Amino acid sequence: MVAEQYLPPWFSVAPMMDWTDNHYRTLARLISKHAWLYTEMLAAETIVYQKDNLDRFLAFSPEQHPIVLQIGGNNLENLAKATKLANAYNYDEINFNCGCPSPKVAGHGCFGVRLMLDPKFVGEAMSVIAANTDVPVSVKCRIGVDDHDSYNELCDFIYKVSSLSPTRHFIIHSRKALLNGISPAENRSIPPLKYEYFYGLLRDFPDLRLTINGGINCVDEVNAALRSGAHGVMVGRAAYHNPWHTLGHVDSTIYGAPKSGLTRRQVLEKYQVYGDSVLRKYGQKPGIRDVVKPLLHLFYTEPGNGLWKRKADAAFQHCTTIKSFFEETLGAIPDSVMDSPVREPPSGRDDLFANVHSLLPPPYETTEQEVLYA
């Protein structure tokens, strides 16, 4: 599979640990045919050490294309081995994690967002990854780390990585990361968004493809970012916590496809077939709760949602198939909800990017010396 056969990644679903697993991606693809999907971050070491058990970590159905594998790590040899092993699964792009602020990731040496402090290594890592695959490579990063948060430092990182490697696509989470004293969840809300940094990068790096991430919650805001010049937009929590009213509008509102008239009943009929086919595929895993987890947000704000979740909690205790789980729980949802297509998309914040071009930082200037001595 080659990425060129798909529509551009104007909309992508962010890689989210414990969330964007095979089950969620199956649901997402049933709702949207064109959104680009990302895996959870997989450590290169996991791929290498589980080389005899890789289907559990890397396998996905062909329908999930276009799909991007995100890997993390700080060992060049393992990154090379992991990339080679992943080639057999035909991902459409390989993305390198330079943005995760979790202590489990960033706290173990130079890993995750800490890698932004070592652009020379990131350039080497991207060269190693690119040398071991035939698909495009990309980097996901923040706009800064702790006190290393100036626009020029961000530009130094982008310039050095793109000069030292074949990397031409960067996904920019428009918040910096704070590594001490706050949780990963707080790192997604406490550091302020600085969209002007992202749009400064668009001005100063016209040869790169840049995707914006952070604080964008609906397709209306996605289109606002695209109109303001972003090459692509990545959405995280909104696509997970409200999949129907977020992903349900991607194909028509962002990609211009005809409205499908798809209903949640149709989605669940197909998901049931998938779910029952994967239950306990690897010993006792995945279980009912694992497979159903992404569905628990499918009826967000709808009548019957609360009762459906209470019924689900009870059904988890004894149901042994997805079919029986649905038979026991979906009666809580009115037919009018189950059989209606997605309603009009929610309106976004009109001022999200209104003044961003008047806030741009001064243009970045660099010299080749900075690359040579990075």
Side-chain angles (χ1 to χ4, degrees):
M1 307 293 283
V2 290
E4 285 76 10
Q5 69 182 283
Y6 305 112
L7 294 174
W10 295 330
F11 181 100
S12 54
V13 178
M16 294 175 281
M17 293 293 290
D18 299 322
W19 288 3
T20 52
D21 57 15
N22 203 29
H23 314 311
Y24 171 80
R25 297 194 311 267
T26 297
L27 173 66
R29 184 58 75 222
L30 287 171
I31 301 172
S32 168
K33 302 304 180 190
H34 299 307
W36 281 63
L37 305 178
Y38 279 63
T39 68
E40 305 170 90
M41 188 200 74
L42 274 172
E45 285 70 22
T46 299
I47 297 172
V48 172
Y49 299 152
Q50 295 284 344
K51 63 182 179 181
D52 297 322
N53 191 29
L54 280 182
D55 280 2
R56 183 170 183 174
F57 298 92
L58 292 176
F60 60 93
S61 68
E63 291 78 18
Q64 286 186 30
H65 289 287
I67 180 171
V68 180
L69 170 65
Q70 188 186 68
I71 60 176
N74 61 358
N75 179 287
L76 295 178
E77 182 180 355
N78 281 337
L79 287 169
K81 290 178 180 178
T83 302
K84 284 183 179 179
L85 289 166
N87 284 334
Y89 292 87
N90 296 316
Y91 284 90
D92 298 297
E93 186 173 303
I94 296 181
N95 178 263
F96 188 48
N97 184 317
C98 295
C100 182
S102 169
K104 294 179 182 178
V105 174
H108 294 286
C110 194
F111 196 97
V113 75
R114 287 188 186 273
L115 290 172
M116 289 193 70
L117 303 177
D118 192 355
K120 184 174 185 292
F121 173 81
V122 176
E124 293 172 351
M126 295 309 297
S127 293
V128 164
I129 293 169
N132 286 281
T133 185
D134 292 327
V135 300
V137 296
S138 60
V139 167
K140 187 173 190 291
C141 64
R142 293 277 183 138
I143 60 170
V145 184
D146 292 333
D147 294 331
H148 299 276
D149 60 355
S150 71
Y151 178 69
N152 257 34
E153 287 172 295
L154 172 61
C155 288
D156 284 344
F157 175 80
I158 301 293
Y159 180 73
K160 291 169 183 174
V161 172
S162 61
S163 298
L164 293 168
S165 76
T167 310
R168 292 296 173 268
H169 181 198
F170 290 82
I171 298 105
I172 311 294
H173 185 152
S174 300
R175 288 185 174 94
K176 74 174 182 178
L178 297 170
L179 294 182
N180 296 309
I182 68 173
S183 69
E186 290 169 327
N187 255 303
R188 294 190 295 267
S189 59
I190 291 177
L193 288 159
K194 292 189 175 182
Y195 293 131
E196 63 271 24
Y197 277 25
F198 173 82
Y199 284 95
L201 294 177
L202 283 174
R203 174 198 63 198
D204 292 333
F205 296 92
D207 296 332
L208 299 180
R209 182 153 58 90
L210 299 167
T211 293
I212 190 171
N213 173 227
I216 298 170
N217 296 319
C218 63
V219 293
D220 196 19
E221 294 170 1
V222 170
N223 277 329
L226 294 171
R227 285 194 302 270
S228 297
H231 300 141
V233 181
M234 177 175 279
V235 175
R237 284 166 290 166
Y240 188 87
H241 289 306
N242 192 3
W244 184 246
H245 292 116
T246 303
L247 298 173
H249 293 291
V250 166
D251 294 357
S252 59
T253 305
I254 295 171
Y255 287 95
K259 291 186 178 180
S260 67
L262 187 70
T263 69
R264 278 174 275 211
R265 191 185 301 278
Q266 293 169 328
V267 168
L268 290 172
E269 286 171 353
K270 292 179 180 178
Y271 193 87
Q272 177 187 309
V273 175
Y274 159 77
D276 280 329
S277 75
V278 298
L279 275 178
R280 294 172 291 280
K281 189 172 183 178
Y282 305 102
Q284 293 302 307
K285 289 288 189 176
I288 292 280
R289 190 181 295 269
D290 302 313
V291 176
V292 169
K293 180 182 173 184
L295 303 179
L296 294 177
H297 303 285
L298 189 62
F299 302 108
Y300 179 73
T301 73
E302 297 287 5
N305 183 51
L307 178 58
W308 139 257
K309 288 188 174 181
R310 291 193 294 275
K311 283 179 172 286
D313 282 340
F316 284 142
Q317 308 305 316
H318 59 270
C319 284
T320 58
T321 65
I322 302 299
K323 184 176 186 292
S324 63
F325 176 88
F326 283 171
E327 288 172 347
E328 186 161 323
T329 62
L330 286 178
I333 304 298
D335 288 345
S336 59
V337 173
M338 290 287 288
D339 295 319
S340 61
V342 66
R343 59 176 179 261
E344 288 303 304
S347 58
R349 292 159 289 175
D350 294 335
D351 60 345
L352 202 55
F353 305 102
N355 301 313
V356 71
H357 291 290
S358 66
L359 301 173
L360 298 185
Y364 175 63
E365 295 181 7
T366 189
T367 67
E368 290 299 323
Q369 294 285 337
E370 293 182 5
V371 176
L372 294 174
Y373 299 104

